[in-house]
Every structure is written in C-alpha cells, then in structure tokens.
Amino acid sequence: DAIWQDVDLPHDYSIDQPYTKSGEAESGYLPGGTGWYRKSFTVSPQWKNKTISVDFGGVYMNATVWLNGHLLGTHPYGYTAFSFVLPEEHLKFDGENVLAVKVENRLPSSRWYSGSGIYRSVSLTVTDRVHVARHGVMVTTPDIQSGTGTVHIETQLQNDTAQAAQVSVRNTVYRKGNETAVATGTVSAATSIEGG
C-alpha cells in the first residue's frame, strides 16, 4: 500500500512517467504500460434490492474491473463510456467495498496522444429494479416546421427482477423551462432475466 498514490479523476498515468527516446511521437514519447486504480467506498443498507451500477465516462484502454475481488468484466475500447452492474451478492452493505480497475495501454495504440488511465468521471447509479434503461430515452422530431413540430419519445425499460411488472411511464417535454406536453401510460415491463 505504501507505493499507491492518491489521485483525482480525470487522471493520466503516462504523463507522470519519464520521456523515452525509444518511444513514438504519437504517444508524446511517453510510455503507456499498465496502471492500477482502486476505490474504497460504502453503500447504504437502503440500497438493498436496488440495481447499483458503476459508470465510467472513459478509460484508455483495455479496462478490467473487479468488485471485492470478483471480476465484473472488461472494456477494451478506450473512447467510449461503459457500465457494470455491482451484483448484490458481492457487495458489502455493512462494511467497506473495494473497486479495482486495471488499465493496459499497449503502444502503439493511437494516431495522437491519448494518455493512459481513467480520463473521465466515474459515478455510482442506484435505481429501482424496474427502471429506465441506460441511454433508454430517444427523442426525435419526425416532422418539424418553422416554429412548430412533432416530438416523438421512446422509452426503453429494464426489469432486473424475475417477474414481469406493470409500471407507469411519464414523459414531459419542456420548452424554455416551461412544461409544454406530458404523455403518460401504463405498460408491462418483461423481465430482463427472461430476455424480454
């Protein structure tokens, strides 16, 4: 533990390393290599029976993520956001949890300086087991005229339970801070466990 350093995100571990004559211009003559991050955190007992996910804005690159020593998954691409659900069976609601992230930047990897590490924010998202899916709202304007138009909203639900559920969905459209339209409806959310 003595060799670990406290860092703030966003973070680039390449820039903390010495320049190398044998490096490449695209990486700023800085080595990539492997970096490790870890974060200790607690969760509220009130979050039991909720869906808890960790959301990464960007990690460059080849990220592997563990929760309390249990592999959550990998994300090889360095330029996209990604998330992992924190399984309740691996979470400690009465103590400290440790999230570990291994980052591998094997050079050459980019046409320009990318840096290495967790270069965007990381957050926890807590939702009910039946919730709006991540990036689950799509808004389009299929016919738009000068000053008027039609707004079409699609909402994708995610059901992380073993039972289908009847839920109410409400979409509200605001224009210049004022509520201009509301659409509500009751729909059946099939269980994600069954692949619905």
Side-chain angles (χ1 to χ4, degrees), residues 96-177:
E96 199 168 75
N97 295 276
V98 177
L99 195 69
V101 182
K102 180 182 181 183
V103 184
E104 296 177 278
N105 183 2
R106 296 185 288 268
L107 300 177
S109 69
S110 182
R111 291 176 295 169
W112 50 80
Y113 182 77
S114 61
S116 304
I118 302 176
Y119 66 91
R120 290 200 176 141
S121 62
V122 179
S123 59
L124 284 180
T125 301
V126 182
T127 65
D128 289 327
R129 292 283 172 95
V130 180
H131 56 95
V132 174
R134 181 172 168 79
H135 305 301
V137 178
M138 183 173 71
V139 179
T140 57
T141 52
D143 59 15
I144 191 161
Q145 309 288 326
S146 177
T148 62
T150 301
V151 176
H152 178 80
I153 302 173
E154 290 185 26
T155 305
Q156 179 184 358
L157 301 178
Q158 183 169 329
N159 182 350
D160 296 331
T161 72
Q163 303 290 327
Q166 289 292 116
V167 296
S168 296
V169 178
R170 175 186 170 107
N171 289 306
T172 306
V173 177
Y174 293 88
R175 183 172 185 264
K176 295 183 179 179

